[in-house]
mmCIF file of all heavy atoms in Angstrom:
data_model
loop_
_atom_site.group_PDB
_atom_site.id
_atom_site.type_symbol
_atom_site.label_atom_id
_atom_site.label_comp_id
_atom_site.label_asym_id
_atom_site.label_seq_id
_atom_site.Cartn_x
_atom_site.Cartn_y
_atom_site.Cartn_z
ATOM 1 N N ILE J 120 3.117 4.674 21.946
ATOM 2 C CA ILE J 120 2.086 5.703 21.832
ATOM 3 C C ILE J 120 2.744 7.090 21.343
ATOM 4 O O ILE J 120 2.151 7.724 20.483
ATOM 5 C CB ILE J 120 1.461 5.929 23.248
ATOM 6 C CG1 ILE J 120 0.535 4.695 23.532
ATOM 7 C CG2 ILE J 120 0.543 7.138 23.226
ATOM 8 C CD1 ILE J 120 0.190 4.545 24.959
ATOM 9 N N ALA J 123 3.103 6.980 17.825
ATOM 10 C CA ALA J 123 1.817 7.047 17.071
ATOM 11 C C ALA J 123 1.437 8.451 16.662
ATOM 12 O O ALA J 123 0.760 8.696 15.671
ATOM 13 C CB ALA J 123 0.686 6.366 17.879
ATOM 14 N N PHE J 124 1.948 9.452 17.409
ATOM 15 C CA PHE J 124 1.674 10.789 17.139
ATOM 16 C C PHE J 124 2.537 11.153 15.910
ATOM 17 O O PHE J 124 3.746 10.848 15.891
ATOM 18 C CB PHE J 124 2.128 11.731 18.275
ATOM 19 C CG PHE J 124 1.206 11.842 19.446
ATOM 20 C CD1 PHE J 124 1.088 10.724 20.311
ATOM 21 C CD2 PHE J 124 0.400 12.902 19.668
ATOM 22 C CE1 PHE J 124 0.209 10.807 21.392
ATOM 23 C CE2 PHE J 124 -0.432 12.979 20.726
ATOM 24 C CZ PHE J 124 -0.502 11.904 21.567
ATOM 25 N N PRO J 125 2.032 11.877 14.928
ATOM 26 C CA PRO J 125 2.894 12.329 13.775
ATOM 27 C C PRO J 125 3.840 13.368 14.358
ATOM 28 O O PRO J 125 3.448 14.250 15.123
ATOM 29 C CB PRO J 125 1.968 12.980 12.825
ATOM 30 C CG PRO J 125 0.581 12.668 13.284
ATOM 31 C CD PRO J 125 0.663 12.189 14.682
ATOM 32 N N ILE J 127 5.509 16.133 13.611
ATOM 33 C CA ILE J 127 5.319 17.522 13.684
ATOM 34 C C ILE J 127 4.119 17.923 14.530
ATOM 35 O O ILE J 127 4.141 18.967 15.224
ATOM 36 C CB ILE J 127 5.236 18.101 12.268
ATOM 37 C CG1 ILE J 127 5.392 19.677 12.250
ATOM 38 C CG2 ILE J 127 3.961 17.806 11.604
ATOM 39 C CD1 ILE J 127 5.646 20.229 10.888
ATOM 40 N N ILE J 128 3.106 17.112 14.595
ATOM 41 C CA ILE J 128 1.918 17.402 15.436
ATOM 42 C C ILE J 128 2.282 17.331 16.889
ATOM 43 O O ILE J 128 1.915 18.206 17.718
ATOM 44 C CB ILE J 128 0.844 16.363 15.188
ATOM 45 C CG1 ILE J 128 0.452 16.322 13.652
ATOM 46 C CG2 ILE J 128 -0.428 16.581 16.048
ATOM 47 C CD1 ILE J 128 -0.542 17.390 13.184
ATOM 48 N N ILE J 131 4.156 20.389 17.747
ATOM 49 C CA ILE J 131 3.272 21.515 17.906
ATOM 50 C C ILE J 131 2.538 21.492 19.284
ATOM 51 O O ILE J 131 2.370 22.485 19.949
ATOM 52 C CB ILE J 131 2.227 21.574 16.781
ATOM 53 C CG1 ILE J 131 2.953 21.868 15.430
ATOM 54 C CG2 ILE J 131 1.185 22.666 17.027
ATOM 55 C CD1 ILE J 131 2.059 21.855 14.180
ATOM 56 N N LEU J 132 2.210 20.254 19.660
ATOM 57 C CA LEU J 132 1.488 20.103 20.996
ATOM 58 C C LEU J 132 2.422 20.601 22.119
ATOM 59 O O LEU J 132 2.005 21.328 23.042
ATOM 60 C CB LEU J 132 1.155 18.616 21.239
ATOM 61 C CG LEU J 132 0.501 18.161 22.543
ATOM 62 C CD1 LEU J 132 -0.869 18.813 22.735
ATOM 63 C CD2 LEU J 132 0.468 16.735 22.721
ATOM 64 N N ALA J 135 2.885 24.307 21.934
ATOM 65 C CA ALA J 135 1.613 25.000 22.411
ATOM 66 C C ALA J 135 1.736 25.267 23.925
ATOM 67 O O ALA J 135 1.230 26.223 24.431
ATOM 68 C CB ALA J 135 0.369 24.147 22.118
ATOM 69 N N VAL J 136 2.420 24.325 24.571
ATOM 70 C CA VAL J 136 2.540 24.486 26.070
ATOM 71 C C VAL J 136 3.754 25.357 26.442
ATOM 72 O O VAL J 136 3.642 26.288 27.247
ATOM 73 C CB VAL J 136 2.686 23.109 26.764
ATOM 74 C CG1 VAL J 136 2.947 23.203 28.202
ATOM 75 C CG2 VAL J 136 1.405 22.257 26.512
ATOM 76 N N LEU J 212 14.283 19.315 8.339
ATOM 77 C CA LEU J 212 13.051 19.626 7.664
ATOM 78 C C LEU J 212 11.915 20.015 8.694
ATOM 79 O O LEU J 212 11.191 20.985 8.445
ATOM 80 C CB LEU J 212 12.546 18.381 6.893
ATOM 81 C CG LEU J 212 13.288 18.130 5.549
ATOM 82 C CD1 LEU J 212 12.745 16.895 4.816
ATOM 83 C CD2 LEU J 212 13.132 19.348 4.624
ATOM 84 N N ALA J 215 12.627 23.499 10.097
ATOM 85 C CA ALA J 215 12.382 24.492 9.151
ATOM 86 C C ALA J 215 10.837 24.710 9.050
ATOM 87 O O ALA J 215 10.386 25.876 9.065
ATOM 88 C CB ALA J 215 12.939 24.154 7.748
ATOM 89 N N SER J 216 10.058 23.590 9.024
ATOM 90 C CA SER J 216 8.647 23.732 8.955
ATOM 91 C C SER J 216 8.106 24.522 10.133
ATOM 92 O O SER J 216 7.219 25.383 9.963
ATOM 93 C CB SER J 216 7.955 22.361 8.964
ATOM 94 O OG SER J 216 8.407 21.642 7.827
ATOM 95 N N PHE J 219 9.028 28.067 10.028
ATOM 96 C CA PHE J 219 8.228 28.691 9.000
ATOM 97 C C PHE J 219 6.831 29.068 9.522
ATOM 98 O O PHE J 219 6.336 30.198 9.218
ATOM 99 C CB PHE J 219 8.142 27.712 7.777
ATOM 100 C CG PHE J 219 7.188 28.136 6.682
ATOM 101 C CD1 PHE J 219 7.565 29.057 5.782
ATOM 102 C CD2 PHE J 219 5.977 27.632 6.636
ATOM 103 C CE1 PHE J 219 6.789 29.518 4.791
ATOM 104 C CE2 PHE J 219 5.023 28.061 5.591
ATOM 105 C CZ PHE J 219 5.448 28.963 4.672
ATOM 106 N N LEU J 220 6.293 28.184 10.334
ATOM 107 C CA LEU J 220 4.887 28.526 10.846
ATOM 108 C C LEU J 220 4.985 29.521 11.992
ATOM 109 O O LEU J 220 3.901 29.960 12.518
ATOM 110 C CB LEU J 220 4.248 27.160 11.385
ATOM 111 C CG LEU J 220 3.866 26.190 10.411
ATOM 112 C CD1 LEU J 220 3.424 24.845 11.091
ATOM 113 C CD2 LEU J 220 2.778 26.671 9.533
ATOM 114 N N ILE J 235 12.283 31.838 5.061
ATOM 115 C CA ILE J 235 11.208 31.553 4.121
ATOM 116 C C ILE J 235 9.896 32.091 4.543
ATOM 117 O O ILE J 235 9.120 32.622 3.807
ATOM 118 C CB ILE J 235 11.157 30.036 3.775
ATOM 119 C CG1 ILE J 235 12.520 29.557 3.214
ATOM 120 C CG2 ILE J 235 10.038 29.728 2.770
ATOM 121 C CD1 ILE J 235 12.588 28.127 3.025
ATOM 122 N N ARG J 239 7.723 34.833 2.452
ATOM 123 C CA ARG J 239 6.552 34.414 1.704
ATOM 124 C C ARG J 239 5.647 35.580 1.431
ATOM 125 O O ARG J 239 4.839 35.541 0.394
ATOM 126 C CB ARG J 239 5.780 33.310 2.505
ATOM 127 C CG ARG J 239 5.123 33.844 3.735
ATOM 128 C CD ARG J 239 4.708 32.734 4.590
ATOM 129 N NE ARG J 239 3.324 32.376 4.351
ATOM 130 C CZ ARG J 239 2.614 31.673 5.287
ATOM 131 N NH1 ARG J 239 3.134 31.256 6.349
ATOM 132 N NH2 ARG J 239 1.332 31.352 5.030
ATOM 133 N N ILE J 242 6.423 36.925 -2.035
ATOM 134 C CA ILE J 242 6.606 35.903 -3.113
ATOM 135 C C ILE J 242 6.217 36.436 -4.459
ATOM 136 O O ILE J 242 6.843 36.041 -5.511
ATOM 137 C CB ILE J 242 5.852 34.629 -2.721
ATOM 138 C CG1 ILE J 242 6.286 33.475 -3.627
ATOM 139 C CG2 ILE J 242 4.350 34.764 -2.838
ATOM 140 C CD1 ILE J 242 7.652 32.946 -3.223
ATOM 141 N N GLY J 243 5.287 37.386 -4.494
ATOM 142 C CA GLY J 243 4.859 37.863 -5.805
ATOM 143 C C GLY J 243 5.880 38.837 -6.422
ATOM 144 O O GLY J 243 6.139 38.851 -7.645
ATOM 145 N N CYS J 249 12.701 33.531 -0.810
ATOM 146 C CA CYS J 249 12.505 32.199 -0.377
ATOM 147 C C CYS J 249 13.372 31.187 -1.068
ATOM 148 O O CYS J 249 13.641 30.177 -0.468
ATOM 149 C CB CYS J 249 10.984 31.839 -0.668
ATOM 150 S SG CYS J 249 9.838 32.783 0.237
ATOM 151 N N LEU J 250 13.748 31.494 -2.308
ATOM 152 C CA LEU J 250 14.405 30.510 -3.147
ATOM 153 C C LEU J 250 15.736 30.014 -2.482
ATOM 154 O O LEU J 250 15.937 28.875 -2.258
ATOM 155 C CB LEU J 250 14.815 31.199 -4.514
ATOM 156 C CG LEU J 250 15.598 30.305 -5.440
ATOM 157 C CD1 LEU J 250 14.817 29.156 -5.927
ATOM 158 C CD2 LEU J 250 16.118 31.136 -6.624
ATOM 159 N N GLY J 253 15.636 27.915 0.845
ATOM 160 C CA GLY J 253 15.092 26.572 0.594
ATOM 161 C C GLY J 253 16.201 25.699 -0.087
ATOM 162 O O GLY J 253 16.272 24.539 0.301
ATOM 163 N N LEU J 254 17.009 26.274 -0.940
ATOM 164 C CA LEU J 254 18.066 25.498 -1.559
ATOM 165 C C LEU J 254 19.035 25.092 -0.483
ATOM 166 O O LEU J 254 19.533 23.919 -0.497
ATOM 167 C CB LEU J 254 18.771 26.295 -2.639
ATOM 168 C CG LEU J 254 18.010 26.576 -3.950
ATOM 169 C CD1 LEU J 254 18.767 27.449 -4.855
ATOM 170 C CD2 LEU J 254 17.590 25.233 -4.543
ATOM 171 N N SER J 257 17.584 22.101 1.279
ATOM 172 C CA SER J 257 17.708 20.873 0.502
ATOM 173 C C SER J 257 19.190 20.338 0.527
ATOM 174 O O SER J 257 19.368 19.094 0.551
ATOM 175 C CB SER J 257 17.336 21.127 -0.926
ATOM 176 O OG SER J 257 15.938 21.447 -1.027
ATOM 177 N N VAL J 260 19.900 18.549 3.871
ATOM 178 C CA VAL J 260 19.099 17.315 4.017
ATOM 179 C C VAL J 260 19.634 16.250 3.070
ATOM 180 O O VAL J 260 19.787 15.051 3.387
ATOM 181 C CB VAL J 260 17.599 17.584 3.763
ATOM 182 C CG1 VAL J 260 16.820 16.307 3.797
ATOM 183 C CG2 VAL J 260 17.086 18.569 4.723
ATOM 184 N N LEU J 261 19.914 16.675 1.811
ATOM 185 C CA LEU J 261 20.405 15.727 0.823
ATOM 186 C C LEU J 261 21.686 15.077 1.317
ATOM 187 O O LEU J 261 21.901 13.850 1.156
ATOM 188 C CB LEU J 261 20.646 16.518 -0.486
ATOM 189 C CG LEU J 261 20.613 15.648 -1.732
ATOM 190 C CD1 LEU J 261 19.334 14.908 -1.867
ATOM 191 C CD2 LEU J 261 20.845 16.543 -3.040
ATOM 192 N N ASP J 268 22.076 6.602 3.742
ATOM 193 C CA ASP J 268 21.940 5.483 2.824
ATOM 194 C C ASP J 268 23.305 4.780 2.618
ATOM 195 O O ASP J 268 23.409 3.569 2.620
ATOM 196 C CB ASP J 268 21.400 5.949 1.524
ATOM 197 C CG ASP J 268 19.920 6.176 1.565
ATOM 198 O OD1 ASP J 268 19.330 5.942 2.636
ATOM 199 O OD2 ASP J 268 19.318 6.641 0.632
ATOM 200 N N ASN J 280 16.864 -4.117 5.013
ATOM 201 C CA ASN J 280 15.497 -4.579 5.103
ATOM 202 C C ASN J 280 14.840 -4.321 6.406
ATOM 203 O O ASN J 280 13.650 -4.371 6.592
ATOM 204 C CB ASN J 280 15.471 -6.081 4.768
ATOM 205 C CG ASN J 280 16.012 -6.399 3.454
ATOM 206 O OD1 ASN J 280 15.771 -5.666 2.520
ATOM 207 N ND2 ASN J 280 16.742 -7.485 3.369
ATOM 208 N N LEU D 18 -5.265 6.520 26.093
ATOM 209 C CA LEU D 18 -4.026 7.051 26.531
ATOM 210 C C LEU D 18 -3.618 8.322 25.820
ATOM 211 O O LEU D 18 -3.193 9.296 26.341
ATOM 212 C CB LEU D 18 -2.882 5.938 26.363
ATOM 213 C CG LEU D 18 -2.903 4.925 27.460
ATOM 214 C CD1 LEU D 18 -1.904 3.833 27.112
ATOM 215 C CD2 LEU D 18 -2.589 5.561 28.811
ATOM 216 N N ILE D 22 -2.953 11.946 27.304
ATOM 217 C CA ILE D 22 -1.672 12.715 27.151
ATOM 218 C C ILE D 22 -2.038 14.192 26.652
ATOM 219 O O ILE D 22 -1.573 15.181 27.258
ATOM 220 C CB ILE D 22 -0.776 12.072 26.104
ATOM 221 C CG1 ILE D 22 -0.232 10.764 26.682
ATOM 222 C CG2 ILE D 22 0.378 13.016 25.733
ATOM 223 C CD1 ILE D 22 0.641 9.998 25.735
ATOM 224 N N VAL D 26 -1.236 17.305 28.970
ATOM 225 C CA VAL D 26 -0.178 18.188 28.508
ATOM 226 C C VAL D 26 -0.777 19.669 28.351
ATOM 227 O O VAL D 26 -0.116 20.603 28.802
ATOM 228 C CB VAL D 26 0.457 17.730 27.169
ATOM 229 C CG1 VAL D 26 1.262 18.841 26.520
ATOM 230 C CG2 VAL D 26 1.255 16.536 27.396
ATOM 231 N N LEU D 27 -1.990 19.751 27.838
ATOM 232 C CA LEU D 27 -2.512 21.030 27.603
ATOM 233 C C LEU D 27 -2.933 21.812 28.872
ATOM 234 O O LEU D 27 -3.052 22.986 28.838
ATOM 235 C CB LEU D 27 -3.767 20.990 26.653
ATOM 236 C CG LEU D 27 -3.406 20.648 25.223
ATOM 237 C CD1 LEU D 27 -4.642 20.585 24.337
ATOM 238 C CD2 LEU D 27 -2.450 21.637 24.624
ATOM 239 N N PHE D 29 -0.901 22.415 31.019
ATOM 240 C CA PHE D 29 0.284 23.133 31.456
ATOM 241 C C PHE D 29 0.412 24.398 30.705
ATOM 242 O O PHE D 29 1.416 25.169 30.847
ATOM 243 C CB PHE D 29 1.531 22.223 31.270
ATOM 244 C CG PHE D 29 1.589 21.164 32.339
ATOM 245 C CD1 PHE D 29 1.342 19.869 31.953
ATOM 246 C CD2 PHE D 29 1.809 21.469 33.651
ATOM 247 C CE1 PHE D 29 1.357 18.795 32.880
ATOM 248 C CE2 PHE D 29 1.843 20.422 34.579
ATOM 249 C CZ PHE D 29 1.658 19.108 34.216
ATOM 250 N N ILE D 30 -0.456 24.696 29.737
ATOM 251 C CA ILE D 30 -0.354 25.898 28.981
ATOM 252 C C ILE D 30 -0.447 27.073 29.985
ATOM 253 O O ILE D 30 -1.323 27.128 30.770
ATOM 254 C CB ILE D 30 -1.522 26.095 27.950
ATOM 255 C CG1 ILE D 30 -1.309 25.103 26.837
ATOM 256 C CG2 ILE D 30 -1.572 27.464 27.415
ATOM 257 C CD1 ILE D 30 -2.305 25.275 25.683
ATOM 258 N N PRO D 31 0.579 28.015 29.870
ATOM 259 C CA PRO D 31 0.527 29.083 30.832
ATOM 260 C C PRO D 31 -0.693 30.019 30.626
ATOM 261 O O PRO D 31 -1.205 30.102 29.510
ATOM 262 C CB PRO D 31 1.867 29.811 30.539
ATOM 263 C CG PRO D 31 2.310 29.393 29.211
ATOM 264 C CD PRO D 31 1.689 28.040 29.011
ATOM 265 N N SER D 141 14.263 15.509 -0.069
ATOM 266 C CA SER D 141 15.136 16.490 0.661
ATOM 267 C C SER D 141 14.548 17.877 0.646
ATOM 268 O O SER D 141 15.114 18.762 1.333
ATOM 269 C CB SER D 141 16.492 16.452 0.066
ATOM 270 O OG SER D 141 16.428 16.970 -1.292
ATOM 271 N N THR D 142 13.481 18.118 -0.090
ATOM 272 C CA THR D 142 12.994 19.532 -0.176
ATOM 273 C C THR D 142 11.822 19.768 0.714
ATOM 274 O O THR D 142 10.881 18.933 0.777
ATOM 275 C CB THR D 142 12.531 19.830 -1.650
ATOM 276 O OG1 THR D 142 13.481 19.177 -2.496
ATOM 277 C CG2 THR D 142 12.479 21.253 -1.900
ATOM 278 N N PRO D 143 11.815 20.873 1.466
ATOM 279 C CA PRO D 143 10.678 21.102 2.317
ATOM 280 C C PRO D 143 9.426 21.433 1.450
ATOM 281 O O PRO D 143 9.493 22.104 0.470
ATOM 282 C CB PRO D 143 11.055 22.409 3.142
ATOM 283 C CG PRO D 143 12.321 22.840 2.553
ATOM 284 C CD PRO D 143 12.902 21.869 1.602
ATOM 285 N N PHE D 145 6.767 23.168 2.084
ATOM 286 C CA PHE D 145 6.279 24.574 2.014
ATOM 287 C C PHE D 145 7.112 25.399 0.990
ATOM 288 O O PHE D 145 6.567 26.298 0.416
ATOM 289 C CB PHE D 145 6.275 25.216 3.360
ATOM 290 C CG PHE D 145 7.579 25.200 4.058
ATOM 291 C CD1 PHE D 145 8.496 26.260 3.911
ATOM 292 C CD2 PHE D 145 7.985 24.161 4.894
ATOM 293 C CE1 PHE D 145 9.665 26.248 4.573
ATOM 294 C CE2 PHE D 145 9.161 24.170 5.522
ATOM 295 C CZ PHE D 145 10.028 25.265 5.351
ATOM 296 N N TRP D 146 8.398 25.040 0.854
ATOM 297 C CA TRP D 146 9.221 25.765 -0.107
ATOM 298 C C TRP D 146 8.795 25.450 -1.529
ATOM 299 O O TRP D 146 8.656 26.330 -2.368
ATOM 300 C CB TRP D 146 10.670 25.366 0.120
ATOM 301 C CG TRP D 146 11.618 26.019 -0.723
ATOM 302 C CD1 TRP D 146 12.030 27.432 -0.643
ATOM 303 C CD2 TRP D 146 12.310 25.526 -1.859
ATOM 304 N NE1 TRP D 146 12.917 27.678 -1.678
ATOM 305 C CE2 TRP D 146 13.120 26.566 -2.413
ATOM 306 C CE3 TRP D 146 12.363 24.252 -2.523
ATOM 307 C CZ2 TRP D 146 13.950 26.361 -3.552
ATOM 308 C CZ3 TRP D 146 13.145 24.080 -3.585
ATOM 309 C CH2 TRP D 146 13.929 25.113 -4.102
ATOM 310 N N LEU D 149 5.712 27.339 -2.307
ATOM 311 C CA LEU D 149 5.925 28.818 -2.602
ATOM 312 C C LEU D 149 6.579 28.994 -3.949
ATOM 313 O O LEU D 149 6.225 29.944 -4.698
ATOM 314 C CB LEU D 149 6.867 29.413 -1.486
ATOM 315 C CG LEU D 149 6.209 29.660 -0.164
ATOM 316 C CD1 LEU D 149 7.244 29.951 0.916
ATOM 317 C CD2 LEU D 149 5.234 30.814 -0.287
ATOM 318 N N MET D 150 7.472 28.097 -4.331
ATOM 319 C CA MET D 150 8.105 28.172 -5.644
ATOM 320 C C MET D 150 7.059 27.930 -6.719
ATOM 321 O O MET D 150 7.039 28.666 -7.767
ATOM 322 C CB MET D 150 9.219 27.138 -5.791
ATOM 323 C CG MET D 150 10.462 27.525 -4.950
ATOM 324 S SD MET D 150 11.220 29.057 -5.313
ATOM 325 C CE MET D 150 10.971 30.013 -3.844
ATOM 326 N N SER D 153 4.976 31.038 -7.029
ATOM 327 C CA SER D 153 5.659 32.189 -7.668
ATOM 328 C C SER D 153 5.763 31.918 -9.223
ATOM 329 O O SER D 153 5.678 32.900 -10.034
ATOM 330 C CB SER D 153 7.015 32.411 -7.077
ATOM 331 O OG SER D 153 8.017 32.118 -7.990
ATOM 332 N N VAL D 157 1.933 33.633 -10.005
ATOM 333 C CA VAL D 157 2.384 35.029 -10.172
ATOM 334 C C VAL D 157 2.865 35.232 -11.570
ATOM 335 O O VAL D 157 2.475 36.171 -12.273
ATOM 336 C CB VAL D 157 3.469 35.330 -9.124
ATOM 337 C CG1 VAL D 157 3.972 36.756 -9.357
ATOM 338 C CG2 VAL D 157 2.973 35.163 -7.713
ATOM 339 N N ARG D 190 10.873 5.060 -4.568
ATOM 340 C CA ARG D 190 12.064 4.367 -4.123
ATOM 341 C C ARG D 190 11.815 2.962 -3.628
ATOM 342 O O ARG D 190 12.534 2.050 -3.937
ATOM 343 C CB ARG D 190 12.688 5.226 -3.014
ATOM 344 C CG ARG D 190 13.721 6.183 -3.567
ATOM 345 C CD ARG D 190 14.365 6.907 -2.426
ATOM 346 N NE ARG D 190 15.354 6.088 -1.638
ATOM 347 C CZ ARG D 190 16.117 6.638 -0.766
ATOM 348 N NH1 ARG D 190 16.102 7.890 -0.509
ATOM 349 N NH2 ARG D 190 17.012 5.924 -0.127
ATOM 350 N N GLU D 198 14.961 -6.329 -5.842
ATOM 351 C CA GLU D 198 15.331 -7.365 -4.914
ATOM 352 C C GLU D 198 14.917 -8.792 -5.414
ATOM 353 O O GLU D 198 15.669 -9.722 -5.090
ATOM 354 C CB GLU D 198 14.650 -7.062 -3.640
ATOM 355 C CG GLU D 198 15.483 -7.449 -2.395
ATOM 356 C CD GLU D 198 14.819 -6.833 -1.179
ATOM 357 O OE1 GLU D 198 13.966 -7.466 -0.652
ATOM 358 O OE2 GLU D 198 15.227 -5.650 -0.765
ATOM 359 N N GLY D 240 0.365 9.770 8.755
ATOM 360 C CA GLY D 240 0.696 10.690 9.754
ATOM 361 C C GLY D 240 1.530 11.882 9.244
ATOM 362 O O GLY D 240 1.245 13.023 9.551
ATOM 363 N N GLY D 244 0.759 15.839 9.028
ATOM 364 C CA GLY D 244 1.675 16.851 9.523
ATOM 365 C C GLY D 244 2.107 17.827 8.467
ATOM 366 O O GLY D 244 2.038 19.052 8.650
ATOM 367 N N VAL D 248 1.331 22.533 7.420
ATOM 368 C CA VAL D 248 2.249 23.577 6.767
ATOM 369 C C VAL D 248 1.615 23.998 5.505
ATOM 370 O O VAL D 248 1.455 25.196 5.233
ATOM 371 C CB VAL D 248 3.600 23.039 6.627
ATOM 372 C CG1 VAL D 248 4.537 24.179 6.266
ATOM 373 C CG2 VAL D 248 4.156 22.367 7.910
ATOM 374 N N SER D 251 -1.364 26.269 5.751
ATOM 375 C CA SER D 251 -1.071 27.650 6.118
ATOM 376 C C SER D 251 -0.436 28.422 4.995
ATOM 377 O O SER D 251 -0.616 29.643 4.950
ATOM 378 C CB SER D 251 -0.439 27.692 7.456
ATOM 379 O OG SER D 251 0.909 27.869 7.422
ATOM 380 N N VAL D 252 0.271 27.768 4.133
ATOM 381 C CA VAL D 252 0.832 28.484 2.948
ATOM 382 C C VAL D 252 -0.231 28.953 2.016
ATOM 383 O O VAL D 252 -0.256 30.114 1.563
ATOM 384 C CB VAL D 252 1.840 27.544 2.149
ATOM 385 C CG1 VAL D 252 2.294 28.278 0.867
ATOM 386 C CG2 VAL D 252 2.988 27.188 2.960
ATOM 387 N N ILE D 266 -3.564 28.028 18.120
ATOM 388 C CA ILE D 266 -2.431 28.208 19.024
ATOM 389 C C ILE D 266 -2.032 29.700 19.113
ATOM 390 O O ILE D 266 -1.801 30.183 20.168
ATOM 391 C CB ILE D 266 -1.263 27.323 18.566
ATOM 392 C CG1 ILE D 266 -1.570 25.869 18.833
ATOM 393 C CG2 ILE D 266 0.003 27.760 19.322
ATOM 394 C CD1 ILE D 266 -0.514 24.913 18.387
ATOM 395 N N PHE D 278 -6.228 18.672 18.201
ATOM 396 C CA PHE D 278 -5.288 17.584 18.462
ATOM 397 C C PHE D 278 -6.011 16.247 18.509
ATOM 398 O O PHE D 278 -5.580 15.268 17.927
ATOM 399 C CB PHE D 278 -4.522 17.819 19.779
ATOM 400 C CG PHE D 278 -3.333 18.720 19.588
ATOM 401 C CD1 PHE D 278 -3.207 19.909 20.260
ATOM 402 C CD2 PHE D 278 -2.316 18.398 18.697
ATOM 403 C CE1 PHE D 278 -2.124 20.750 20.108
ATOM 404 C CE2 PHE D 278 -1.232 19.178 18.551
ATOM 405 C CZ PHE D 278 -1.155 20.396 19.240
ATOM 406 N N THR D 281 -7.061 15.059 15.014
ATOM 407 C CA THR D 281 -5.921 14.661 14.203
ATOM 408 C C THR D 281 -5.298 13.315 14.688
ATOM 409 O O THR D 281 -5.097 12.447 13.856
ATOM 410 C CB THR D 281 -4.794 15.799 14.265
ATOM 411 O OG1 THR D 281 -5.446 16.943 14.475
ATOM 412 C CG2 THR D 281 -3.951 15.748 13.116
ATOM 413 N N ILE D 282 -5.047 13.219 15.947
ATOM 414 C CA ILE D 282 -4.425 12.030 16.501
ATOM 415 C C ILE D 282 -5.315 10.812 16.336
ATOM 416 O O ILE D 282 -4.908 9.761 15.933
ATOM 417 C CB ILE D 282 -4.061 12.260 17.972
ATOM 418 C CG1 ILE D 282 -3.119 13.389 18.143
ATOM 419 C CG2 ILE D 282 -3.492 10.970 18.579
ATOM 420 C CD1 ILE D 282 -1.738 13.243 17.552
ATOM 421 N N VAL D 285 -5.128 9.590 12.817
ATOM 422 C CA VAL D 285 -3.857 8.894 12.543
ATOM 423 C C VAL D 285 -3.818 7.497 13.207
ATOM 424 O O VAL D 285 -3.450 6.463 12.518
ATOM 425 C CB VAL D 285 -2.612 9.750 13.028
ATOM 426 C CG1 VAL D 285 -1.359 8.928 12.884
ATOM 427 C CG2 VAL D 285 -2.526 11.008 12.207
#
Side-chain angles (χ1 to χ4, degrees):
Chain J
I120 292 165
F124 284 74
I127 195 165
I128 303 276
I131 293 176
L132 177 68
V136 174
L212 283 179
S216 300
F219 172 79
L220 289 174
I235 301 177
R239 69 195 264 200
I242 194 75
C249 296
L250 177 70
L254 291 178
S257 293
V260 176
L261 203 58
D268 283 358
N280 302 321
Chain D
L18 281 173
I22 291 176
V26 166
L27 289 180
F29 291 108
I30 289 187
S141 64
T142 319
F145 57 91
W146 181 75
L149 285 168
M150 290 299 114
S153 111
V157 179
R190 266 181 77 170
E198 213 168 87
V248 189
S251 99
V252 175
I266 288 176
F278 276 121
T281 328
I282 299 295
V285 172

